[in-house]
Amino acid sequence: MNRSPAAPAPGPTLLVIAKEPVPGRVKTRLTPPFTPVEAAEIAEAALADTLHTLLRVPATRRVLVLDGRPGPWLPPGWTVVEQCDGGLDQRIAAAFAGCTGPTLLVGMDTPQLTPELLAPATGPDSWPPGRAWLGPAEDGGFWALGLAEPRPDLVLGVPMSTPHTGRDQRLRLLARGLSVRELPPLRDVDTADDAAEVAGLHPDGRFAAAWGRLARPTRQPVEAGPAAGGRGR
């Protein structure tokens, strides 16, 4: 009996590692000039834009690895799993360990992401054996990491949140014999200057709307004085 060839997988597993956008726990480098509540609003918009964009990317499944609880910002189509304890390298490694087959991790700090930027890593020929994808961030980290075989040892022990994290991760992949392809570099949203630039790159998104609502050109930290009960915004 003739058998039809197996249909190709629609795409890799997509992973997003994120924190619940709770005031005081996210985007702390935006405070000041923003309040913790406002910084959390900006973080929520960045996360929502990322999750909605990835719904338009070919994928076998989509998994949000979350520190916290889901909220109204979570669109349908995502499976939520709890983040493990430990450093960022341990949490990323554990997220990959829960997957099989090609897996692409995307961060929550690049709301300017588009399906076109991810297209090289989501096509039918993007994942030969031994392939890895790395999306470098302009601050020296990385915004995306893709592994054809998602092994924890490819990440564990790589120093995270340093100016050379992206370089160190790339060297780890090469040392394990992988063929590394790069995605375009992107700017992470960490500071108010980052947020202003990224909002301009994606003006129609939730992130740009939140930034436009909350950012005011005249906003500056105000020192406490005799007439003030404390520091203003």
Side-chain angles (χ1 to χ4, degrees), residues 39-66:
E41 288 184 46
I42 292 170
E44 178 177 323
L47 178 55
D49 270 354
T50 300
L51 297 176
H52 280 271
T53 293
L54 293 178
L55 290 175
R56 298 157 48 209
V57 173
T60 300
R61 64 182 183 133
R62 298 172 179 84
V63 181
L64 174 63
V65 186
L66 184 63

Side-chain angles (χ1 to χ4, degrees), residues 113-228:
L113 182 67
T114 65
E116 290 74 22
L117 286 169
L118 287 175
T122 56
D125 302 319
S126 299
W127 297 98
R131 171 65 51 81
W133 290 92
L134 192 66
E138 292 183 6
D139 63 2
F142 60 84
W143 63 269
L145 175 63
L147 302 173
E149 296 89 22
R151 294 165 18 211
D153 66 286
L154 297 172
V155 181
L156 277 174
V158 175
M160 296 288 159
S161 303
T162 77
H164 46 78
T165 292
R167 180 201 67 189
D168 291 345
Q169 182 62 72
R170 189 175 194 277
L171 290 173
R172 169 67 65 82
L173 300 174
L174 292 172
R176 297 293 195 272
L178 273 64
S179 170
V180 181
R181 300 289 181 89
E182 288 199 354
L183 294 165
L186 293 180
R187 184 170 183 171
D188 279 346
V189 173
D190 291 317
T191 67
D193 286 344
D194 296 332
E197 178 171 316
V198 168
L201 293 172
H202 190 42
D204 298 325
R206 296 165 184 80
F207 180 82
W211 176 257
R213 184 177 69 254
L214 297 170
R216 295 189 286 278
T218 57
R219 156 177 264 165
Q220 295 290 337
V222 178
E223 296 298 328

Side-chain angles (χ1 to χ4, degrees), residues 2-103:
N2 292 331
R3 293 176 179 265
S4 299
T13 294
L14 295 177
L15 287 177
V16 173
I17 291 187
K19 289 181 180 180
E20 178 188 0
V22 173
R25 296 193 65 233
V26 291
K27 293 284 172 271
T28 54
R29 290 173 64 186
L30 293 179
T31 308
F34 297 97
T35 68
V37 170
E38 291 168 335
E41 288 184 46
I42 292 170
E44 178 177 323
L47 178 55
D49 270 354
T50 300
L51 297 176
H52 280 271
T53 293
L54 293 178
L55 290 175
R56 298 157 48 209
V57 173
T60 300
R61 64 182 183 133
R62 298 172 179 84
V63 181
L64 174 63
V65 186
L66 184 63
D67 178 2
R69 296 177 297 178
W73 40 265
L74 178 67
W78 284 88
T79 299
V80 179
V81 300
E82 185 178 357
Q83 250 183 67
C84 72
D85 295 328
L88 182 56
D89 65 316
Q90 294 170 299
R91 288 178 276 140
I92 292 175
F96 275 112
C99 301
T100 58
T103 302

